[in-house]
Amino acid sequence: MGNSQANSRRALDGIRVIDLTWLQVGPQATRLLATFGAQVIRVEWRERKAIDFIRYSPPFAPDNARSDGGRSQGVTRGHGIAGNVDRGAYFNNTNPGKLGITLNLNHPKGRDLLRRLVRDANVICENFSPRQMEKWNLDYSELRKINPGIIYIQTTGVGKAGVYQDYVSYGPTAQAFSGLTYLSGLPEPHLPAGWGYSYLDHSPGYFGAIMLMAAIRRQRAKGIGCYIDMSQSETGLMLSGTSILEHQITGKPTQRYGNRMPFLDWAPHGAYRCAGDDNWIAISVQSDEQWCALVEEMGSPAWALETHFATAIGRKQYEDELDEKLTRFTIGCDRYDLMERLQSRGVPAGVVQKAPDRFDRDPQLKARDYYVDLPSSEIGTWPVEGFPAKLSRSPANVGGTTGRAAPKLGEDNEFVYRKLLGLGSNEIAALTEESVI
C-alpha cells in the first residue's frame, strides 16, 4: 500500500470488478469504482494487438524517469522506450488503483479462468466490439449461469440493442454521431471546430460508474444482478444542451454562437488576446455598471465613451467593432494582472488557462490537492488526476486498494492467480508456458 488512506473504509469496499475494458470509455468507469474502494482487476493480453494501445501511445513518462523517483526528475519530453508498454502517461492516468493481469481469452483455458474470476466477482465491464463476448461464449446470458448476481455492463458506440447494434465506434465517431462535433466552434461561415478531446470516451465513464453504483446498491440489498447496455452516442445527446429542445419547439436549425451571448445583450463577451504567446482573457460584461468599470480600468479612452457604446443594446449592435477596440487594450496587458484588476472592479473576467497554468499555477487546484502523487513500479512517483469531489465520511482515493498508479502489464498475475484463484506454482508455470496467462 502506497498511502495512508488505502485501508480506510470506503463505499465500495468488498466489491470486486473484472475489468475487460480498454482505451477510455470503459476504464474511466472502473477508475471511479477503484477510487471508491472496489478491487478492480484489469485484464489484458500481452500480444501487441490485444494490449490497450494507450499503453504505447504518447505522451510518455520522461525517458530519464526511473522507479526510484519520477516526478523529482522534472518535466522533460519522453519518447517512450521500444518494447516497453508501461510508460504511457495516458494509461497511467486512466488506470490508477487497479490490479493488472494478463489473460488470453482466445485460448479455451483463458476463458475458463475468466469464468472462475467471474464466479466470485460483483461486476464485469467490457467495451469490446458488440458481439466479441458472444463469440467467446462469455456474454451476460452465459456468465449469469455461473454467477446469477453478476452485474454486466457493456459499452458500445450506439448501444447493443437497436438497428445499429453491430456498429463499431470510437469516442470521436460517437461524438460526431451525437452532434457534439458540430456544436463546437465559431458561427457560420466558419466550419465546426469539433472538440479538442474525445469527450465521449471520457464522460460516458461517469455515466457508467453511476449506473454501476446503483446496480451494486441493489445487488447488496437483494442479491440481484443485471445487464446494462450503454450507448456512447446517447450520452452525447444528453450533453448537447438545448439544441434538440430548440428544434422541437421552434423548428429552427441549430446554430453555433462561438464565444458570444446569443440570448442577452451582454457585450463585450468573449476571449481577448493578451500580451505574450497565445495568451487570452475571457471577459463578460453583463450590465452598464460593469461596462463603466471596464472603461475606467482602460483609462476611459475616447472610443469607449462614444454614444453607441453607452447602452447594452448599442454595444451588442456594434459588437464586432467593440471586440476589435477592446483587443487593442487587452493585447498590451498581462493576462493574470488584468484578471485581478477587472475582478477587483466587479467585472467578470478570467484567464484562459493552459495546461501548465492548471498543473503548476492554479491555487484552487493546489488547495484541493487535485493532483495526487502515486507510485508506479515503472516510472516512480508521479501525479495523476484526483477525484473532483471531497466526501466528508466516505473517502475517495484515486489510489484505490493498491495505493498505486496504473499496473504494469501483468504486474499482479501472482497475486490474482495464486491468492484469489488458488492456483499452485506448477499450474501458474504451465499456464504461462502455454500462453494462457
Side-chain angles (χ1 to χ4, degrees), residues 8-15 33 35-38 213 216 220 391 393-396:
S8 301
R9 182 161 179 76
R10 284 167 284 187
L12 298 184
D13 277 350
I15 297 296
L33 300 188
T35 296
F36 285 110
M213 283 191 267
I216 289 169
R220 280 175 161 170
L391 285 70
R393 298 182 62 185
S394 177

Side-chain angles (χ1 to χ4, degrees), residues 14-157:
I15 297 296
R16 180 175 296 168
V17 178
I18 308 302
D19 183 356
L20 300 178
T21 63
W22 61 306
L23 295 174
Q24 179 74 36
V25 63
Q28 177 66 18
T30 53
R31 183 190 204 268
L32 295 171
L33 300 188
T35 296
F36 285 110
Q39 182 187 64
V40 178
I41 303 174
R42 182 72 196 273
V43 180
E44 300 174 89
W45 181 231
R46 57 175 180 258
E47 290 181 12
R48 186 174 176 85
K49 64 181 180 182
I51 295 173
D52 191 338
F53 67 68
I54 63 172
R55 276 190 175 277
Y56 50 83
S57 300
F60 298 105
D63 297 342
N64 61 338
R66 297 288 183 267
S67 57
D68 57 350
R71 188 178 192 177
S72 64
Q73 300 179 46
V75 176
T76 57
R77 179 173 294 279
H79 298 82
I81 297 174
N84 189 323
V85 295
D86 298 318
R87 303 182 70 83
Y90 194 22
F91 183 88
N92 193 51
N93 193 57
T94 305
N95 293 281
K98 302 179 184 179
L99 300 167
I101 64 170
T102 49
L103 181 60
N104 183 2
L105 294 177
N106 283 317
H107 196 294
K109 292 183 180 179
R111 295 194 288 274
D112 286 342
L113 285 174
L114 183 74
R115 292 185 183 97
R116 291 177 64 178
L117 286 169
V118 168
R119 185 182 59 197
D120 295 321
N122 299 85
V123 176
I124 183 167
C125 306
E126 58 102 345
N127 61 317
F128 290 124
S129 299
R131 294 192 183 279
Q132 184 57 54
M133 291 293 276
E134 293 174 32
K135 292 176 182 176
W136 283 327
N137 206 27
L138 294 171
D139 57 298
Y140 175 63
S141 63
E142 292 298 323
L143 294 181
R144 68 179 302 194
K145 296 175 185 175
I146 303 167
N147 180 351
I150 193 74
I151 297 165
Y152 185 122
I153 184 168
Q154 180 177 22
T155 304
T156 59

Side-chain angles (χ1 to χ4, degrees), residues 5 10-11 28 31-32 35-36 202 206 210 213 364-365 367-372 384-399:
Q5 293 187 33
R10 284 167 284 187
Q28 177 66 18
R31 183 190 204 268
L32 295 171
T35 296
F36 285 110
H202 191 85
Y206 284 89
I210 291 169
M213 283 191 267
Q364 177 67 5
L365 293 180
R368 290 176 61 83
D369 295 323
Y370 179 71
Y371 296 102
V372 179
V384 302
E385 291 176 293
F387 185 72
K390 306 297 181 189
L391 285 70
S392 62
R393 298 182 62 185
S394 177
N397 183 344
V398 72

Side-chain angles (χ1 to χ4, degrees), residues 298-377:
M298 291 190 293
S300 301
W303 67 264
L305 302 177
E306 294 176 8
T307 56
H308 62 290
F309 290 143
T311 64
I313 294 176
R315 292 191 293 275
K316 193 69 176 176
Q317 182 178 355
Y318 295 96
E319 198 165 15
D320 288 342
E321 178 187 347
L322 179 62
D323 284 350
E324 178 186 348
K325 292 182 173 177
L326 178 57
T327 299
R328 294 178 190 172
F329 165 74
T330 61
I331 202 167
C333 300
D334 175 83
R335 55 187 176 139
Y336 276 99
D337 177 64
L338 180 59
M339 177 185 75
E340 292 170 1
R341 285 190 281 137
L342 292 178
Q343 288 182 355
S344 69
R345 289 180 177 271
V347 179
V351 163
V352 179
Q353 291 187 312
K354 307 173 187 177
D357 295 315
R358 306 246 70 185
F359 184 72
D360 295 321
R361 187 167 182 171
D362 192 303
Q364 177 67 5
L365 293 180
K366 286 183 183 297
R368 290 176 61 83
D369 295 323
Y370 179 71
Y371 296 102
V372 179
D373 284 349
L374 288 178
S376 158
S377 303

